[in-house]
Amino acid sequence: MATSTMEFKIYRYDPDKDDAPYMQDMSVQVDFAIDRKLLDVLTRLKANDDTLSYRRSCREGICGSDAMNINGKNGLACLTDIQELKQPVVLRPLPGLPVIRDLIVDMTQFFKQYHSVKPYLINDSPRPERERLQSPEERDELNGLYECILCACCSTSCPSFWWNPDKFVGPAGLLNAYRFIADTRDEATNERLDDLEDPYRLFRCHSIMNCVDVCPKNLNPTQAIGKIKEMMVRRAI
Amino acid sequence: MSNSSIPVRKFDAVIVGAGGSGLRAAIQLSEGGLKTAVLSKVFPTRSHTVAAQGGVSASLGNSEEDHWHWHMYDTVKGSDWLGDQDAIEYMCRKAPEVVVELEHFGMPFDRTDEGKIYQRPFGGHMSNFGEKPVRRACAAADRTGHAMLHALYQRNVRANTQFFVEWMALDLIRDESGQVLGVIALEMETGEVVAFHAKATIFATGGAGRIYYSSTNAFINTGDGLGMAARAGIALEDMEFWQFHPTGVAGAGVLITEGVRGEGGILRNSDNERFMERYAPNAKDLASRDVVSRAMVTEINEGRGCGPNKDFVLLDITHLDPATIMKRLPGIREISIQFAGIDPIQAPIPVVPTCHYQMGGIPTNFKGQVVSADGVPVKGFYAAGEVACASVHGANRLGTNSLLDLLVFGKSSGDSVIEDLASGAIVHKDLPAAYAERTLARLHRLNTQTGGSNVNETRLELQRTMQKHCGVFRFKDMLVEGVAKIVEIEKAVARTEIKDKSQVWNTARVEALELDNLIEVAKATLVSAEARKESRGAHVRDDAPDTPENPNGRDDANWHKHTLWEREGSSLSYKPVTMTPLTVETIALKTRSY
């Protein structure tokens, strides 16, 4: 057994008993043969101290629950290899959102922005009896967009979102906005562009590209935002 | 605390669970204008439907001829004739309609060259009543569940559905007549306990795969709906039938879709042999899941496993065009790199059968109404998806029928609620006296317990017991011993202790409450499995071997019937399998081979 001790510094805050947040030193025995991902080690830490609080569910990078700030960079605990982490591993909640407890943030603002882009197909033509047709090439346009897991790693790494979380849609919301703009079955492209043509909603993006750097699904919100801007320019001329 | 201290919120309907079936039901109710509350332990798109990969079945016939009747035959055969044929006919006939509807909701299916929904072959999907494989699984790459769950959530955003996110339902409210009047739930952020008083309650809480140590299931799959139903005196049906998916990543348990074999993947043993040819000469690697899982375990047990400990087999796609892998199986490639440390374009994936799906559940009819043993609906109570047992999956589920189940029965349960409310069959009844006592007592015990058992250790013991005593192959003595062990573990569950006493996002408390549900499911499973003295579908035991009188160990004369387990006294009863479909002829009992 390749066991070893791992050292952590973890952000702790329980509003029920703590006056203020603090960083807690924690250590845990890990077995590298079994523990591969940060989430495996968090499970061990929690077995020792059941007050440690974080969200988790699928443990395979598809549900988007366990996003956190890991050694200064946002990521999913379940997709982060422990052997690559510098120790002590510093864990903090996602930046820019209110902390509820420990590594759990209040995601209300994030989802509000997602909902603001009308993230659903708009097509008011009479429903055909069978599926609406879409060529494989048209469908390919949705690749790199529909795979978003709404983990918020991107938006909470974006300085523009930190400053204006109420006004700037943020990379996740904009990626999803473009997912519907790019869908040949959607009939609301103009409305969608009108809605985003705003100094804050879209144009707070300054292509810093933190979002691209942190996306655990290797998606590219900056590129999607660029395409929305291009479409605005094209329809203006 | 007394009942009067609990806030009560009134709704027409409350849906517990916001995975595929809960969201599909919610669309019906929201668009139908009912005042509906949807409760979920997690944000809806984090529900476990998100992890489904390979596809959703429907006989669209987009690439070759197909027919719902063939789909029905395959499902009955896959179920080892334990599925109810009325529900199976209903599901298979409805499949094209609900899948096309999902496409209209915005689901980004892959496409054929003609622009239609892309379909791939899958295990047990055959044309012309079992003749040869057919393309029936409608897919969005290998992320079908993710694409579906998001599309359903998005449709609910459009419909303005009212969600209660990160609320955990704790107990069902029933009155003395047995009518269901809603649930008591806990808001995780604040620790507040609220009664959701509803005319209709739909359970869409998903499965309980976390009763096993090695599972493809998410942490949240703790059988909450089953635990709540069992505590409220609802019997659980066919709980001995658990699907072990052939291809979980060895060691990690993460799912590798059957779609990999649908796209041409092959299972190999340590001799590099395509061993499925020996077990299923016709369907080979695309035989039903129970058949493939048993073949794999047999290979490993007979010394033909791979790796230093000879404890897994290999899933090989190195012969496929890398472009196909990148286009059709990109998620699998990611998972293999992440969790097996190999790129499947270059090397085969180490896989083992892993607990995946619960065929049993809360007994319902095909309308999604929960029914008692004699088939009479329990007033005000509905269930859909993995928590329910309609029964369409019988003793073994076909791949992609789970996503179909969500759509069909999510929708039908929603329609039944609308109908039952419109007809005046169900109205708001007063909450009974002391309805919250049991729940508050559970919470109070957790807050005050000292010198109790550790939640994490108790859960691990439960999971290891299930893994050892009730796995792919089952043994008479092990089952008997397993029942005794579970009864001991149950005592530890009754006195769990948590150190975390906070009211705010207390995950220790949530895990302890989940364990209360896991133990009900584990006990139901072991007791039901110990009692069923035959082999059928996913339930195969050493003392019911393949004989000329009972091929495959199946004993139709004595055991062609559904199990019903009741929590009170842990007692068992049985009910007949519905062999009469809605419009077509019975698919008669037959020995199953692929």
Side-chain angles (χ1 to χ4, degrees):
Chain A
M1 261 208 336
T3 59
S4 162
T5 306
M6 276 189 84
E7 305 289 340
F8 286 82
K9 277 189 186 301
I10 302 181
Y11 181 101
R12 302 300 306 268
Y13 176 59
D14 175 2
D16 239 15
K17 64 178 177 64
D18 302 323
D19 296 330
Y22 59 98
M23 296 301 288
Q24 184 181 21
D25 293 330
M26 294 178 104
S27 65
V28 65
Q29 283 292 116
V30 294
D31 175 355
F32 288 121
I34 305 168
D35 304 312
R36 298 180 176 91
K37 303 294 181 185
L38 176 58
L39 183 60
D40 299 329
V41 182
L42 277 170
T43 308
R44 285 194 186 269
L45 282 162
K46 187 166 178 61
N48 297 339
D49 175 1
D50 71 8
T51 66
L52 177 63
S53 307
Y54 52 89
R55 293 187 176 100
R56 85 283 180 269
S57 182
C58 76
R59 61 84 168 84
E60 58 186 76
I62 192 73
C63 79
S65 298
D66 62 351
M68 55 188 70
N69 189 269
I70 305 157
N71 281 346
K73 189 174 169 182
N74 291 351
L76 299 182
C78 62
L79 293 185
T80 301
D81 285 325
I82 50 172
Q83 306 230 36
E84 286 167 17
L85 289 173
K86 199 176 134 243
Q87 294 185 44
V89 181
V90 180
L91 300 181
R92 293 172 177 278
L94 289 175
L97 293 174
V99 176
I100 299 173
R101 179 176 175 177
D102 294 348
L103 301 173
I104 297 170
V105 292
D106 180 351
M107 297 185 74
T108 308
Q109 196 66 60
F110 172 78
F111 288 122
K112 209 170 162 188
Q113 290 298 357
Y114 170 67
H115 292 149
S116 80
V117 304
K118 297 192 176 169
Y120 44 80
L121 194 81
I122 298 176
N123 184 324
D124 295 324
S125 304
R127 278 193 191 180
E129 248 176 69
R130 288 293 302 252
E131 66 263 51
R132 294 198 166 98
L133 299 181
Q134 187 172 50
S135 72
E137 295 72 32
E138 290 169 339
R139 167 59 183 77
D140 282 350
E141 291 299 311
L142 307 183
N143 288 341
L145 303 171
Y146 82 95
E147 301 94 323
C148 174
I149 58 173
L150 299 175
C151 65
C153 280
C154 60
S155 292
T156 61
S157 70
C158 172
S160 299
F161 190 76
W162 296 339
W163 308 142
N164 297 104
D166 53 334
K167 294 184 195 148
F168 174 50
V169 171
L174 291 168
L175 179 96
N176 278 284
Y178 186 63
R179 177 249 173 275
F180 289 98
I181 291 170
D183 195 323
T184 50
R185 299 170 296 172
D186 190 270
E187 293 175 338
T189 299
N190 260 323
E191 280 171 46
R192 293 182 190 280
L193 293 178
D194 289 346
D195 169 64
L196 295 173
E197 199 150 25
D198 173 282
Y200 283 96
R201 283 180 66 69
L202 173 72
F203 289 99
R204 281 290 112 174
C205 170
H206 300 304
S207 306
I208 299 167
M209 294 183 71
N210 281 0
C211 53
V212 183
D213 189 38
V214 299
C215 177
K217 305 309 284 183
N218 296 313
L219 308 180
N220 191 330
T222 306
Q223 190 179 48
I225 293 166
K227 287 186 173 174
I228 299 174
K229 288 179 179 168
E230 249 177 65
M231 288 182 81
M232 282 181 182
V233 172
R234 249 187 285 138
R235 76 168 182 170
I237 48 176
Chain B
M1 271 199 281
S2 69
N3 282 344
S4 56
S5 63
I6 301 183
V8 177
R9 301 191 63 158
K10 260 189 168 181
F11 292 90
D12 289 326
V14 55
I15 299 174
V16 184
S21 57
L23 290 179
R24 187 63 193 82
I27 291 170
Q28 289 312 97
L29 299 190
S30 291
E31 293 184 352
L34 295 192
K35 189 182 179 209
T36 308
V38 184
L39 274 58
S40 177
K41 283 202 290 192
V42 294
F43 184 79
T45 63
R46 318 219 187 282
S47 308
H48 194 55
T49 304
V50 81
Q53 298 173 352
V56 50
S57 50
S59 56
L60 295 173
N62 283 354
S63 296
E64 55 191 318
E65 190 188 356
D66 200 4
H67 195 285
W68 68 260
H69 203 177
W70 300 346
H71 185 186
M72 177 184 172
Y73 176 84
D74 293 343
T75 303
V76 171
K77 177 181 171 185
S79 81
D80 215 346
W81 274 268
L82 193 70
D84 289 324
Q85 296 196 12
D86 54 346
I88 293 175
E89 177 183 337
Y90 183 80
M91 180 176 81
C92 297
R93 287 184 75 150
K94 278 272 180 190
E97 172 195 318
V98 293
V99 167
V100 165
E101 209 166 46
L102 183 67
E103 193 280 329
H104 293 166
F105 291 166
M107 169 88 172
F109 281 112
D110 285 5
R111 300 287 169 160
T112 66
D113 289 339
E114 293 165 291
K116 297 176 180 172
I117 294 170
Y118 170 78
Q119 297 185 282
R120 61 163 57 113
F122 235 79
H125 296 193
M126 314 286 265
S127 66
N128 205 18
F129 306 101
E131 213 174 81
K132 61 174 189 352
V134 69
R135 296 169 161 266
R136 186 181 291 145
C138 309
D142 51 3
R143 305 184 179 105
T144 312
H146 169 275
M148 177 190 278
L149 188 66
H150 281 255
L152 291 171
Y153 176 67
Q154 289 159 354
R155 184 75 183 185
N156 274 287
V157 172
R158 179 181 165 130
N160 270 320
T161 300
Q162 189 176 3
F163 287 102
F164 291 79
V165 174
E166 292 169 341
W167 283 71
M168 181 183 182
L170 302 179
D171 275 302
L172 201 57
I173 307 171
R174 285 183 94 182
D175 69 8
E176 62 291 342
S177 75
Q179 183 166 341
V180 169
L181 304 177
V183 292
I184 297 163
L186 170 82
E187 185 181 29
M188 284 149 75
E189 186 179 336
T190 62
E192 188 178 23
V193 178
V194 172
F196 285 77
H197 184 190
K199 295 176 196 167
T201 302
I202 303 180
F203 268 16
T205 52
R210 283 276 158 176
I211 61 168
Y212 285 91
Y213 181 71
S214 172
S215 171
T216 64
N217 282 204
F219 281 101
I220 56 170
N221 288 22
T222 52
D224 299 340
L226 300 163
M228 286 187 274
R231 282 192 296 275
I234 305 276
L236 304 182
E237 181 174 344
D238 292 342
M239 290 304 296
E240 61 271 45
F241 297 100
W242 283 84
Q243 177 159 84
F244 287 79
H245 195 291
T247 55
V249 173
V254 176
L255 175 69
I256 300 284
T257 174
E258 193 167 285
V260 170
R261 282 170 284 139
E263 295 289 346
I266 290 169
L267 290 165
R268 298 185 188 281
N269 61 20
S270 57
D271 301 332
N272 207 31
E273 181 203 7
R274 184 180 189 180
F275 59 85
M276 279 312 300
E277 288 179 330
R278 276 188 279 121
Y279 296 88
N282 186 25
K284 301 188 181 79
D285 299 89
L286 286 177
S288 243
R289 287 180 179 172
D290 57 333
V291 173
V292 179
S293 284
R294 275 194 294 277
M296 290 167 68
V297 173
T298 303
E299 289 300 300
I300 292 167
N301 287 348
E302 292 179 357
R304 291 185 294 279
C306 306
N309 301 320
K310 293 184 157 298
D311 55 358
F312 57 80
V313 301
L314 293 170
L315 175 58
D316 187 3
I317 52 170
T318 55
H319 54 286
L320 298 188
D321 179 4
T324 304
I325 297 174
M326 299 299 282
K327 187 170 175 66
R328 301 293 181 205
L329 306 166
I332 287 313
R333 182 164 178 254
E334 259 177 60
I335 285 174
S336 302
I337 291 169
Q338 280 281 352
F339 293 98
I342 63 110
D343 183 343
I345 291 175
Q346 279 142 17
I349 312 164
V351 289
V352 286
T354 306
C355 172
H356 183 57
Y357 190 88
Q358 134 205 325
M359 268 75 74
I362 299 173
T364 70
N365 57 25
F366 66 87
K367 296 174 181 170
Q369 297 169 312
V370 176
V371 291
S372 58
D374 49 7
V376 177
V378 176
K379 239 181 171 187
F381 197 24
Y382 307 77
E386 192 169 343
V387 69
C389 182
S391 152
V392 283
H393 310 305
N396 170 67
R397 174 174 71 75
L398 288 193
T400 71
N401 268 354
S402 56
L403 291 187
L404 178 60
D405 172 342
L406 304 179
L407 294 175
V408 170
F409 298 108
K411 186 176 180 183
S412 78
S413 63
D415 283 339
S416 295
V417 167
I418 291 171
E419 225 171 89
D420 293 347
L421 261 57
S423 73
I426 309 174
V427 291
H428 263 305
K429 280 175 79 176
D430 289 341
L431 293 172
Y435 67 90
E437 236 165 50
R438 180 182 49 202
T439 313
L440 294 174
R442 284 171 66 203
L443 292 170
H444 180 70
R445 186 195 66 75
L446 268 181
N447 277 336
T448 53
Q449 179 80 48
T450 52
S453 51
N454 177 287
V455 172
N456 194 52
E457 284 164 16
T458 310
R459 184 178 50 220
L460 274 173
E461 207 184 328
L462 181 154
Q463 292 169 331
R464 291 203 173 108
T465 300
M466 294 307 296
Q467 196 77 25
K468 188 171 162 195
H469 291 266
C470 209
V472 173
F473 284 107
R474 296 166 178 188
F475 304 89
K476 182 174 180 263
D477 298 343
M478 293 293 280
L479 287 167
V480 173
E481 213 179 289
V483 171
K485 277 193 184 174
I486 279 294
V487 170
E488 282 307 305
I489 294 168
E490 192 180 22
K491 292 176 190 159
V493 173
R495 45 189 296 278
T496 46
E497 180 185 352
I498 52 174
K499 304 288 181 212
D500 190 346
K501 309 290 187 192
S502 175
Q503 280 296 90
V504 180
W505 250 100
N506 187 332
T507 49
R509 175 161 59 188
V510 167
E511 288 186 29
L513 293 165
E514 288 173 336
L515 185 55
D516 288 349
N517 298 322
L518 285 170
I519 189 67
E520 302 297 344
V521 181
K523 194 173 175 188
T525 299
L526 260 171
V527 170
S528 304
E530 192 277 322
R532 183 176 284 272
K533 308 282 191 306
E534 67 156 354
S535 297
R536 183 186 297 272
H539 175 70
V540 165
R541 41 190 296 160
D542 65 330
D543 55 346
D546 184 24
T547 61
E549 307 83 68
N550 291 331
N552 298 332
R554 199 176 84 191
D555 177 4
D556 289 326
N558 293 303
W559 288 101
H560 186 234
K561 56 189 179 186
H562 295 293
T563 306
L564 290 171
W565 174 85
E566 271 192 76
R567 180 174 187 264
E568 181 72 38
S570 191
S571 63
L572 294 171
S573 58
Y574 295 89
K575 69 173 184 181
V577 176
T578 304
M579 291 293 281
T580 316
L582 299 169
T583 66
V584 292
E585 278 184 23
T586 295
I587 296 169
L589 282 159
K590 202 174 135 185
T591 300
R592 193 160 158 256
S593 68
Y594 284 94

